[in-house]
Amino acid sequence: MTIAAPPPAVMQRSHGAGLIAVKSVTNRTRLDRLHQSGNAKIRIPETRTECLEAVLINTAGGITGGDTLNWTVECGMNTATVVTTQACERIYKSLGENGRQTTAITVDEGASLFWLPQETILFQGGRLQRTLEVSLADDARFLGLEAVLLGREAMGETLDDAFLHDRWRIRRAGNLLHADDLRLDLRSNNTLHDPSILAANRAFATLVWVGPEEDGEVRALRLGRVRALLAGSAGASAVGPKLLIRMAAPSGYALRRQLMPVLEHLLDGRGLPKVWRT
Amino acid sequence: MSSTTDLLRLMSWLSPVFPTGGYAYSGGLEQMVHGGAIHDAQSLKGRIAALLKDGPPWNDAVLFAAAFRSSADGETIEELSELARAMAGSLERHREALDQGAAFLAAAANWFEAGALPASPTPLCVAVGAACGLQSMPAEEALAAFLHAWVSNQLQAAIRLSVVGQSGAARLLSELEPAIAETAARAKASTPGDLGSCTILADIAAMNHETLEPRLFLS
């Protein structure tokens, strides 16, 4: 009797690149250019506001070792754009190589960009190297979110082999305004439970808001309002023209509950994208 | 220059007597003690070890090493300063790094010709790294001394916050020696590509210290 050999493990690498450029036409933000290749797709749902909403889609359904995913967002003068993702980005087991994701954003004079991707879920064995490069004009506005869930909480999965390096660099008029390197390497040792790292939390998020130069009183007021909306393990601080917010929560559900009021407040009446409301 | 001279300089620059004002900062420790996360010698040791390995002190050590190597290159030092300022995760941490950097550079000027040291605003890690590099000190020893000064400062703050006593702090100094040495060795071989931290709850505590009342420390 012969037993059919299992098919050889062919690791299909997925690659995707998407670009969206927007411009202002009679006070409404309209699509200027759109390019999509590989497994990167961009949808523009109809909205009734002057703000354009773009939904990024990775048709590969996740990122594993050797995959690449590159997004480019170009916001023309006086535009307002909210960018989100159709689904959580799932980082699946890799055979050793990192998956790579890059995002390059430019925001011109008078424009606003709200970069609100859904959560990244890091599974056992997942490895992701990600960069976000943001270039802002002097009076541009930017809100950026990074939210991470560790493992399948419903299955009580405990990660002991995963890697995430998320590098953010935000420049304004060429000057480096914000730099953050989140590096979580669960192979070298697993100290997630440490009360300085995550304690019992398995979800966390960072928000960065940058606005034009304004007087200290306006900044203090904004910081106070955001602090009043914080719940659970969370903190906010204003350093020069940027406002930083960090949160940690026991689950993805709890993290969303902590995030939503703050996102709604910082969107300043623009309304959360539909994917965030369901 | 003799190794004794190097040792003396490191001891002077990183001594609690050197007027950088380190005693005024707790780097968020006061908030974590207030919140109950740090309550005894064991939890204190865990925090210090976690921050050395995966927190802002690790990033400071990476930037120190880069500044040490490029100490004679003013343009690179300015880029590293900008990077270190941009990495400060809260207002108090930003002030802690810049105020101590300015105070360090003013006092260290006694050892240098005018204009040799970087100009302010240079965060402490870049300022000390550049000064040690300009004097061609041994890099790993200089890094170890810099990290040791941070650990000592944390222990000093913990004593004032009644987390440990003098003898408990001495035991932790002994127990944390390998962590300091490992971090110094790792940092010496690092490049800015090795920046990275994940001490999320400590970062949150550092932010929340801004609204803590009453308080003993500036951070």
Side-chain angles (χ1 to χ4, degrees), chain B residues 7 26 42 67 74 76 158 161 177 191 199 206 209 213-214:
Chain B
L7 179 64
S26 87
Q42 204 52 37
T76 303
L161 291 164
E177 220 172 70
T191 69
T199 48
H209 186 267
E213 291 291 345

Side-chain angles (χ1 to χ4, degrees), chain A:
Chain A
M1 193 177 99
T2 57
I3 297 170
V10 178
M11 301 312 286
Q12 198 73 46
R13 303 289 186 234
S14 80
H15 301 284
L19 174 148
I20 177 170
V22 299
K23 61 183 175 183
S24 176
V25 180
T26 58
N27 288 329
R28 284 200 62 166
T29 301
R30 307 279 191 184
L31 185 65
D32 186 10
R33 281 172 296 134
L34 186 74
H35 296 297
Q36 10 184 38
S37 70
N39 48 273
K41 299 277 180 279
I42 301 174
R43 298 267 149 77
I44 320 280
E46 279 295 321
T47 55
R48 290 183 182 180
T49 63
E50 76 281 5
C51 185
L52 184 134
E53 189 179 314
V55 181
L56 309 181
I57 303 164
N58 175 11
T59 58
I63 298 177
T64 182
D67 290 356
T68 61
L69 187 59
N70 304 311
W71 300 112
T72 304
V73 181
E74 295 174 1
C75 304
M77 277 173 69
N78 300 322
T79 54
T81 312
V82 181
V83 180
T84 186
T85 54
Q86 191 183 47
C88 292
E89 196 65 85
R90 291 170 163 77
I91 313 304
Y92 292 117
K93 185 176 169 66
S94 149
L95 293 177
E97 240 184 308
N98 291 340
R100 288 177 187 277
Q101 185 183 339
T102 66
T103 303
I105 291 170
T106 53
V107 190
D108 289 348
E109 285 80 8
S112 304
L113 176 68
F114 302 86
W115 172 254
L116 305 175
Q118 295 196 62
E119 297 86 342
T120 296
I121 308 178
L122 194 58
F123 291 108
Q124 174 76 355
R127 301 177 57 77
L128 179 68
Q129 179 94 40
R130 187 163 61 180
T131 59
L132 177 75
E133 296 272 348
V134 182
S135 178
L136 303 174
D138 249 336
D139 62 348
R141 287 177 170 77
F142 173 75
L143 174 65
L145 165 70
E146 153 203 286
V148 178
L149 314 182
L150 301 177
R152 265 170 286 226
E153 61 195 66
M155 297 169 71
E157 186 177 69
T158 307
L159 299 192
D160 58 15
D161 175 16
F163 173 77
L164 173 66
H165 180 194
D166 200 357
R167 166 166 290 188
W168 282 40
R169 296 289 182 266
I170 303 177
R171 289 178 178 80
R172 188 171 70 178
N175 300 313
L176 188 63
L177 208 62
H178 179 68
D180 193 12
D181 282 82
L182 173 81
R183 186 189 297 270
L184 205 58
D185 190 345
L186 304 183
R187 296 160 307 161
S188 53
N189 72 342
N190 195 335
T191 49
L192 281 184
H193 282 95
D194 191 281
S196 293
I197 299 182
L198 277 176
N201 298 295
R202 286 299 168 266
F204 56 90
T206 302
L207 274 163
V208 181
W209 188 93
V210 179
E213 287 303 329
E214 55 196 358
D215 67 55
E217 221 168 297
V218 177
R219 278 184 198 151
L221 210 59
R222 181 181 300 107
L223 176 61
R225 287 198 178 125
V226 165
R227 277 192 175 138
L229 293 169
L230 296 181
S233 294
S237 184
V239 188
K242 67 184 177 185
L243 174 63
L244 304 171
I245 303 162
R246 285 192 205 274
M247 299 177 182
S251 68
Y253 175 73
L255 184 68
R256 276 215 172 191
R257 288 193 47 165
Q258 285 176 226
L259 265 173
M260 300 274 281
V262 177
L263 290 180
E264 272 166 1
H265 176 70
L266 291 172
L267 276 162
D268 202 12
R270 283 177 187 86
L272 269 172
K274 206 171 160 192
V275 291
W276 275 97
R277 282 183 266 125
T278 50

Side-chain angles (χ1 to χ4, degrees), chain B:
Chain B
M1 201 162 317
S2 80
S3 61
T4 305
T5 309
D6 285 338
L7 179 64
L8 288 172
R9 278 183 197 171
L10 283 175
M11 289 181 74
S12 295
W13 294 354
L14 297 164
S15 148
V17 170
F18 210 62
T20 34
Y23 62 88
Y25 303 95
S26 87
L29 174 63
E30 182 171 30
Q31 181 68 31
M32 289 187 77
V33 171
H34 175 78
I38 306 299
H39 47 84
D40 60 5
Q42 204 52 37
S43 54
L44 177 62
K45 183 183 168 186
R47 172 184 145 99
I48 293 174
L51 289 177
L52 277 174
K53 187 170 175 296
D54 288 315
W58 163 250
N59 285 339
D60 282 355
V62 171
L63 293 165
F64 179 114
F68 183 100
R69 280 192 298 271
S70 301
S71 56
D73 174 357
E75 207 170 303
T76 303
I77 294 296
E78 178 43 46
E79 280 172 22
L80 291 167
S81 285
E82 185 184 47
L83 178 57
R85 291 194 297 270
M87 290 200 95
S90 73
L91 180 63
E92 290 182 347
R93 186 167 156 70
H94 191 259
R95 281 191 194 141
E96 177 173 353
L98 285 182
D99 290 356
Q100 289 192 90
F104 173 84
L105 289 171
N110 289 307
W111 280 262
F112 291 87
E113 284 180 21
L117 285 168
S120 287
T122 301
L124 184 69
C125 57
V126 176
V128 184
C132 291
L134 285 169
Q135 301 262 349
S136 305
M137 290 182 178
E140 196 166 325
E141 281 84 342
L143 273 160
F146 175 71
L147 293 167
H148 182 275
W150 177 78
V151 171
S152 298
N153 198 63
Q154 286 284 292
L155 293 173
Q156 194 66 49
I159 291 168
R160 282 174 68 192
L161 291 164
S162 306
V163 176
V164 287
Q166 298 279 0
S167 58
R171 186 163 55 246
L172 287 184
L173 265 181
S174 138
E175 290 177 8
L176 286 162
E177 220 172 70
I180 297 171
E182 273 164 35
T183 306
R186 209 154 54 92
K188 188 196 169 203
S190 73
T191 69
D194 296 306
L195 288 167
S197 69
C198 63
T199 48
I200 291 150
L201 293 178
D203 292 349
I204 289 173
M207 290 171 155
N208 287 330
H209 186 267
E210 289 175 30
T211 53
L212 180 68
E213 291 291 345
R215 44 155 64 195
L216 293 175
F217 295 93
L218 294 174
S219 71

